[in-house]
Amino acid sequence: MSKKITIEPVTRVEGHGKVTIFMDDKNNVTQSRLHIVEFRGFERFVQGRPYWEAPVLVQRLCGICPVSHHLAAAKALDVIVGAGNGDGLTPVGEKMRRLMHYGQFFQSHVLHFFHLSSPDFLFGIDGDPLQRNIIGVAKANKDLAVQGVMMRKFGQEIIRLTAGKKIHGTGAIPGGINKNLTIAERDELLKGPDPLNADKMVEWSQAALEFFKNYHKANRPQVDGFAAFPSNHLSLVRKDGALDIYHGVLRAVDAEGNRILDDVDYHEYDKYIEEEVRTWSYMKFPYLKHLGKENGWYRVGPLARLNTCDFIPTPLAQKEFEEFKAYTNGKPNNMTLHYHWARLIEILHSAEVIRDLLNDPDLQSDDLVVKGKKQYEGVGVIEAPRGTLFHHYKIDENDLITMANLIVSTTHNNEPMNRAVNFTANEYMGGQQNITEPMMNAVEVAIRAYDPCLSCATHALGQMPLEMTLIGSDEQILDYKIKD
Amino acid sequence: MNKKIIATTSLAGCFGCHMSILDIDERILDLIELVEFDKSPIDDIKKFTQPVDIGIIEGGCCNSENIETLKYFRENCNILVSLGECAIMGGLPALRNGIPIEECLREAYLDGPTVQLNTEQIIPAHEELPMILDKVYPCHEIVKIDYFLPGCPPRADLIWNALYALITGNKMELPYEVIKFD
Ligand code: SF4
């Protein structure tokens, strides 16, 4: 007799989704799926809008990393207004955007680590579900919660001062930006009242990294073995191989570290990437064309970025990067929970970049916008906190959008997240008669490591509580649990 | 005084309204002294565990599941608040309301430049996927909503003032800065 388990919806991740797991009569997992259950239709309904609306419209896909969409759209429109292929802005134009982007990286990664994932580290996968949240963290370890709240605030303040608003700002416009950073604004971030200043943020980033490393040291087998599997990895890297989240070329490596895409101009992304549609999810399944559906899938996000890049161009993060690389003898790291490690290294890197940028006098320049010869098509790619984000637009003579294609970060991780679900389902539920809350949370922990933004992914978003049903082959409900 | 119970959900929203709740920053620590959270995407409570005083809704309704969740909130919450433009009037997702849904699906799954050659014309449709509605509906067209907090997203100060007033029963402060919307 076979059984089906449904997990719906998943919490402490950003989006609407559910999991179904099928088991045979020996309770071996025969199939598992992460379904993304919402559809919005952005690609179609932005058609007919004037192109300059795109950066403010499309960011409403996602209120967690709106800056990524704002900037990816702006980069595509830079091409359309003839301001080069992503590297043609004035120094203040590019640096204000970078500051905005690193500010958002900082806040988004902090949100994920402190607000969404730290409860699992603090209380354990099998901790009391009522305690497993940021409020529980605040009660158990107030300093940690305060750091999380203040670090996120710092990132949000950077966004406010560069984009005009903390969420859904307007700073980036085709060909540049609409404001520079005044000396007063700069000083607010550089020397703000304790703890809201750049130095403190670097220090706290290091502390958060230590927190994770200690946790790792104490729980090595669990952290290393949890949902680990070989895969390809894809990201942007700077021309010289440095980690760069704003601009670069596409690079992908396989599980052994061989480059399977190298130095690819992202304007030609559609030559290399294709998406499969499956009936049971609104989220598509991308893969590298030349490797095909079976072998061409890959991971994106913090782990992938540290696997593809050669070095990190800030000293403190570079040191951590070396330790991270040494752990796998320089080979790509394929351990799902190491996403957290990589994410924390990126938090530190972002804090360092922010501090450097704030000290750059270019930010006070008035030369905000570049314009050239109008083009009818543009591609913009950026590394969003959760991975590589593609925006592609075409326009007509009346400046109206005629085509929009978006491949968002979480979509690339669709296959990997499904594999992670499968892994944990096998590991924790295979052969078990009853489903327990910790088993369900284990599946969620695997999904959560990818920090999925399912709102982005379906161009929709919502909450993910978790509900599981165990159904026999005769469709009879055997066991039913709601996480509460 | 008993702590007030708060629950939140995101329907067809972008999570920006929830982020704006978090943008009350340090005041979160004050808030958790005043209230207790029940079902919410920020915790692991999947079903209501008790009657709720204040339910906060982000996003309008774009599929059958949104409708169910919204009704479930109405049944269990004493006060229901529509937070942000999506909940209040459908917001940006409602831009699809003038376009047949088939066209939106076609664009995403058949015609997009990176979609594989989809000879079988596969468009997601499965028993596990909720039904897409013909339009995106504002929440007050589905259930009674008691309060509306506008903005995309509403400012953190507006959210804080409103919550504080609801929790304490005091009159809400509305300085100009918090009623500037976009
Ligand atoms: S109102 Fe704005 S911020 Fe809130 S869910 Fe809708 S798009 Fe997002």
Side-chain angles (χ1 to χ4, degrees):
Chain A
M1 188 173 60
S2 68
K3 294 167 192 159
K4 177 181 127 191
I5 298 164
T6 309
I7 306 179
E8 183 197 14
V10 184
T11 38
R12 286 189 283 130
V13 305
E14 301 108 10
H16 268 137
K18 70 174 171 190
V19 173
T20 54
I21 298 163
F22 285 86
M23 293 172 144
D24 65 14
D25 52 5
K26 296 203 177 62
N27 292 327
N28 296 314
V29 175
T30 52
Q31 183 196 72
S32 67
R33 284 169 171 170
L34 169 63
H35 307 266
I36 304 306
V37 299
E38 265 190 41
F39 172 77
R40 283 216 195 150
F42 264 79
E43 292 92 342
R44 174 61 186 85
F45 69 62
V46 299
Q47 292 177 11
R49 316 284 315 180
Y51 70 78
W52 52 84
E53 286 184 2
V56 284
L57 282 183
V58 182
Q59 67 184 342
R60 261 96 183 166
L61 286 173
C62 179
I64 294 165
C65 56
V67 170
S68 307
H69 290 287
H70 186 58
L71 292 178
K75 281 181 80 177
L77 300 180
D78 292 344
V79 180
I80 284 178
V81 299
N85 284 332
D87 46 10
L89 302 191
T90 61
V92 61
E94 177 166 334
K95 285 175 185 172
M96 280 294 281
R97 287 193 190 176
R98 278 183 180 270
L99 182 59
M100 193 194 301
H101 193 38
Y102 280 89
Q104 126 159 295
F105 242 71
F106 191 73
Q107 74 83 16
S108 173
H109 276 4
V110 162
L111 170 82
H112 182 261
F113 181 72
F114 287 91
H115 298 65
L116 302 177
S117 287
S118 77
D120 291 321
F121 298 120
L122 225 48
F123 308 120
I125 287 177
D126 50 359
D128 176 3
L130 290 180
Q131 197 188 13
R132 264 190 343 237
N133 55 59
I134 181 69
I135 297 156
V137 173
K139 287 181 184 146
N141 188 341
K142 186 150 186 209
D143 288 349
L144 192 72
V146 169
Q147 282 182 18
V149 167
M150 299 312 277
M151 286 168 84
R152 179 170 179 279
K153 179 176 182 175
F154 183 77
Q156 291 289 79
E157 286 297 324
I158 292 178
I159 297 172
R160 183 176 65 81
L161 293 172
T162 49
K165 244 174 108 196
K166 287 182 172 181
I167 298 162
H168 302 330
T170 55
I173 53 177
I177 36 130
N178 64 13
K179 78 181 280 286
N180 64 11
L181 196 73
T182 65
I183 297 279
E185 289 167 338
R186 180 199 69 186
D187 287 347
E188 200 180 320
L189 297 168
L190 208 50
K191 311 182 199 135
D194 201 49
L196 291 173
N197 59 69
D199 284 329
K200 192 71 171 186
M201 292 302 130
V202 172
E203 190 188 316
W204 277 359
S205 304
Q206 288 177 298
L209 194 46
E210 276 319 302
F211 174 89
F212 178 82
K213 287 202 284 190
N214 287 333
Y215 176 83
H216 183 202
K217 212 178 275 166
N219 299 278
R220 203 152 264 159
Q222 296 92 307
V223 173
D224 292 357
F226 189 88
F229 50 82
S231 76
N232 305 315
H233 301 269
L234 172 114
S235 81
L236 282 183
V237 294
R238 202 166 73 186
K239 261 282 187 203
D240 63 357
L243 175 70
D244 193 326
I245 58 174
Y246 178 75
H247 192 61
V249 289
L250 290 170
R251 181 188 283 181
V253 297
D254 67 15
E256 290 301 313
N258 305 307
R259 291 194 190 161
I260 47 178
L261 272 193
D262 199 14
D263 210 15
V264 167
D265 176 357
Y266 66 66
H267 296 93
E268 305 192 325
Y269 79 109
D270 51 358
K271 282 194 192 148
Y272 300 92
I273 294 173
E274 207 162 64
E275 297 172 285
E276 185 191 354
V277 181
R278 298 188 193 163
T279 51
W280 46 270
S281 182
Y282 283 120
M283 187 151 78
K284 290 177 264 192
F285 291 80
Y287 53 89
L288 296 174
K289 257 186 196 176
H290 69 289
L291 296 177
K293 278 181 223 172
E294 284 306 310
N295 304 314
W297 59 277
Y298 49 85
R299 290 191 260 200
V300 299
L303 186 71
R305 283 190 287 263
L306 297 203
N307 282 332
T308 53
C309 78
D310 301 324
F311 65 100
I312 299 184
T314 53
L316 297 173
Q318 169 63 15
K319 234 175 124 249
E320 298 292 338
F321 176 70
E322 285 162 16
E323 189 180 330
F324 178 86
K325 289 306 269 190
Y327 195 72
T328 50
N329 298 318
K331 294 272 183 200
N333 184 326
N334 287 297
M335 294 172 265
T336 290
L337 285 190
H338 287 219
Y339 261 97
H340 295 291
W341 189 1
R343 194 172 288 120
L344 285 156
I345 295 174
E346 289 191 338
I347 291 179
L348 177 59
H349 172 58
S350 303
E352 289 184 283
V353 172
I354 289 164
R355 188 167 61 181
D356 292 348
L357 275 171
L358 288 172
N359 281 305
D360 190 328
D362 278 348
L363 288 180
Q364 280 79 47
S365 152
D366 289 322
D367 193 6
L368 304 180
V369 185
V370 181
K371 284 234 153 63
K373 187 172 177 302
K374 181 177 155 185
Q375 310 289 317
Y376 289 90
E377 184 170 359
V379 176
V381 177
I382 202 161
E383 281 296 319
R386 292 155 188 82
T388 321
L389 169 64
F390 297 76
H391 279 217
H392 179 188
Y393 302 97
K394 286 185 187 165
I395 63 163
D396 63 13
E397 318 71 61
N398 301 319
D399 290 346
L400 303 180
I401 296 172
T402 57
M403 192 283 299
N405 190 38
L406 313 170
I407 309 180
V408 306
S409 323
T410 297
T411 302
H412 302 284
N413 278 336
N414 200 356
E415 182 68 27
M417 286 193 295
N418 270 284
R419 301 216 171 208
V421 163
N422 193 263
F423 181 93
T424 29
N426 269 304
E427 183 87 358
Y428 287 79
M429 296 175 184
Q432 306 287 335
Q433 199 64 29
N434 297 310
I435 305 163
T436 62
E437 201 279 336
M439 290 178 196
M440 295 195 278
N441 192 42
V443 174
E444 286 187 285
V445 168
I447 299 171
R448 217 173 272 138
Y450 291 85
D451 188 14
C453 188
L454 305 174
S455 139
C456 276
T458 48
H459 316 339
L461 190 133
Q463 100 289 13
M464 286 180 85
L466 181 70
E467 199 174 280
M468 291 196 174
T469 325
L470 192 57
I471 302 178
S473 55
D474 51 358
E475 300 289 299
Q476 206 188 324
I477 294 177
L478 297 179
D479 194 1
Y480 177 80
K481 270 226 165 63
I482 296 158
K483 280 188 58 175
D484 54 20
Chain B
M1 188 179 79
N2 278 345
K3 281 192 176 181
K4 294 270 190 216
I5 313 292
I6 292 191
T8 75
T9 189
S10 173
L11 308 175
C14 79
F15 234 76
C17 289
H18 271 81
M19 291 301 111
S20 202
I21 299 176
L22 293 182
D23 279 338
I24 64 173
D25 299 324
E26 313 85 284
R27 288 169 289 186
I28 289 171
L29 301 168
D30 301 331
L31 185 64
I32 62 180
E33 295 300 323
L34 292 169
V35 305
E36 195 182 307
F37 277 85
D38 201 87
K39 177 177 161 61
S40 166
I42 66 157
D43 61 36
D44 278 356
I45 304 175
K46 319 285 190 187
K47 294 269 163 184
F48 291 112
T49 61
Q50 57 197 327
V52 170
D53 295 300
I54 305 165
I56 299 176
I57 311 288
E58 165 191 302
C61 293
C62 76
N63 65 28
S64 54
E65 189 190 276
N66 295 153
I67 303 247
E68 279 164 36
T69 308
L70 181 58
K71 287 185 171 161
Y72 182 58
F73 262 71
R74 180 71 274 180
E75 279 160 26
N76 289 277
C77 302
N78 187 20
I79 294 171
L80 217 49
V81 181
S82 269
L83 181 66
E85 301 305 338
C86 292
I88 293 174
M89 55 165 202
L92 194 83
L95 273 181
R96 84 155 157 90
N97 287 1
I99 302 165
I101 185 69
E102 298 74 31
E103 279 186 35
C104 295
L105 290 163
R106 174 160 255 294
E107 189 67 28
Y109 301 107
L110 299 178
D111 297 342
T114 44
V115 175
Q116 62 169 146
L117 188 60
N118 192 343
T119 38
E120 292 156 62
Q121 306 268 303
I122 296 173
I123 285 179
H126 196 267
E127 57 185 16
E128 303 294 348
L129 302 177
M131 212 171 60
I132 302 179
L133 303 178
D134 61 333
K135 289 196 307 181
V136 178
Y137 293 86
C139 293
H140 68 268
E141 286 190 15
I142 311 292
V143 300
K144 176 173 175 287
I145 298 288
D146 302 297
Y147 295 98
F148 299 85
L149 294 181
C152 178
R155 281 156 196 262
D157 288 340
L158 176 71
I159 298 174
W160 172 253
N161 290 355
L163 273 182
Y164 196 78
L166 280 174
I167 294 163
T168 58
N170 292 335
K171 205 165 161 269
M172 183 174 167
E173 287 184 33
L174 280 173
Y176 175 70
E177 302 79 60
V178 302
I179 50 169
K180 241 174 33 186
F181 308 121
D182 69 346

